Amino acid sequence: MCWASLQEIKIELLKGRNSHMQSAEIRRTFLDYFAGKGHTIVPSSSLVPANDPSLLFVNAGMVPFKDTFLGVEQRSYKRATAVQKCMRVSGKHNDLESVGPSPRHHTFFEMLGNFSFGDYFKREAIQYAWELLTQVFQLPVERLWFSVYTDDDDAVRLWQEVGADPRRILRFGEKYNFWAMGDTGPCGPNSEIHYYLGDDVTAQRPEGVNSEDDDYMEFWNLVFMQYNRDAQGVLTPLPRPGIDTGMGLERLAAILQGVKSNYETDLFVPIIQRTMELLRKDRRHYSEHRAAYHIVADHSRAIAFLIADGIRPGNMGRDYVLRRILRRAAYYGQALGFKRPFLAETADVVIDIMGMQYPELQIKRDQIKDLITAEEERFSRTLTTGLRLLEGTLLGSLAGQGATVLPGRDAFMLYDTYGFPLDLTQKILAERGLSVDVAGYEEALREQQERSRRASQFKRNG
Ligand code: ATP
Ligand code: MG
């Protein structure tokens, strides 16, 4: 039997399994589809990039393949597919502030991707994406939209050739349709696929795409890797152009499970459910405090995965990111009504539902839970006192003066004495329409560092 007809059979087999497909099956179906197209299935790399000082965390599926795109590293295959763990909390891709208000942005998420290293290019990338979405996952074409880079006539033509309605192919500029991993590294024009989640299919309009309207959701980005950007911003063509695609598993799960928010998928519901149980609260409480529940669920995942990849709560770099996320979650937990550490319990659910796909979670279950509780206890000892001080004395004196900006030295004192990361203080103030004098905070931090530097010099010399 020829290759093409085997492919047909495979697609027939994969077809029609989309009625409320669970996330484990979505990952499997994606990888199977691309394996069937000659892609090697590559396991997810750690969240900590190997040998890449330009990045704090892996923020996209292509990061582990960066050197392969640049032509520096050779692999035994030219096509790969993966489900990669990602974190977007720093640098060019930072979605921390969107977590809570947004139904579809997370700190930690999984990116499904297919990659070509100097092998196929736009034509196949578009054909595969179309076939997978419309044939295998059987998404209704009348809800799909396609965006392409301003002058990318090739991409427009290729979408039309596979069967996309020309009225559903839209052109956008660099902000939306030119992708870069960071300030430096591989980049290129892209084409994105969007889904209309609204109740009324006849109400769709092109202006909805890439707008604030949550009924329109970007969910898959096909990047046509063509350049390397250097520190001066100069673009140099790659030795051979390639393909890098990224689709958020959580967003695809929302589409396939017929819900409008990632938090209503099987990846999040059990975590939220456990939070409600621990609090002895019902759905009404959840509906009234949705954002806080979502932050707790999102951060519980991030914390568990960061610790599994070797990060520890601390004061520098990656460790500090973990500390900030954990303390933020603890703060929102307290706002929801928790009076004692609880994050080890919510992380336990994360390990239950993700442990099959990511055995590192299961192997390190006890360590993850112990580290979380220790850090949470450290913070909760000072959280209540710090909050009382902030909400009482400090905000009282601001109100007394009719001021809206908290002096930097106060924000620094909250950090130094009570362990409040600056962004947490900012968040608490922002909820009241107030802000922090960040320059003053940084000045106080510098002075403190200077003092401790002198003290340690003194100790060494003395
Ligand atoms: P958005 O504009 O929605 O913030 P993006 O354009 O920054 O997304 P890309 O860099 O194109 O995202 O990433 C590819 C895909 O990864 C997105 O289409 C989406 O499905 C998913 N994705 C990106 N950021 C997040 C996130 N913070 N949480 C969940 N999924 C994400
Ligand atoms: Mg995008």
Side-chain angles (χ1 to χ4, degrees), residues 88 95 104-106 109 179 192 218-219 221 246 248 251:
R88 292 202 168 178
D95 292 330
R104 60 187 64 136
H105 285 88
H106 309 297
F109 65 101
W179 195 87
E192 296 192 316
E218 169 208 325
F219 68 104
N221 189 351
R251 295 189 191 184

Side-chain angles (χ1 to χ4, degrees), residues 320-393:
Y320 192 54
V321 172
L322 169 58
R323 170 161 284 168
R324 272 167 52 206
I325 294 177
L326 195 151
R327 293 185 173 202
R328 219 160 170 258
Y331 165 75
Y332 279 98
Q334 173 151 337
L336 283 173
F338 281 111
K339 300 270 186 284
R340 52 176 185 78
F342 66 97
L343 286 168
E345 297 300 317
T346 48
D348 211 24
V349 186
V350 175
I351 301 169
D352 286 344
I353 58 183
M354 306 284 269
M356 281 288 276
Q357 176 77 13
Y358 301 100
E360 64 271 29
L361 291 173
Q362 270 172 356
I363 294 166
K364 297 194 182 166
R365 189 189 289 263
D366 293 343
Q367 192 188 2
I368 293 171
K369 292 176 66 179
D370 290 349
L371 275 167
I372 290 177
T373 305
E375 173 68 8
E376 214 179 343
E377 277 169 352
R378 219 172 287 135
F379 185 46
S380 66
R381 277 198 285 279
T382 55
L383 174 63
T384 316
T385 333
L387 267 182
R388 210 173 295 142
L389 177 71
L390 173 61
E391 287 169 343
T393 321

Side-chain angles (χ1 to χ4, degrees), residues 169-182:
I169 307 169
L170 309 172
R171 294 175 191 253
F172 287 90
E174 197 162 327
K175 179 172 176 216
Y176 294 106
N177 283 93
F178 194 94
W179 195 87
M181 176 192 118

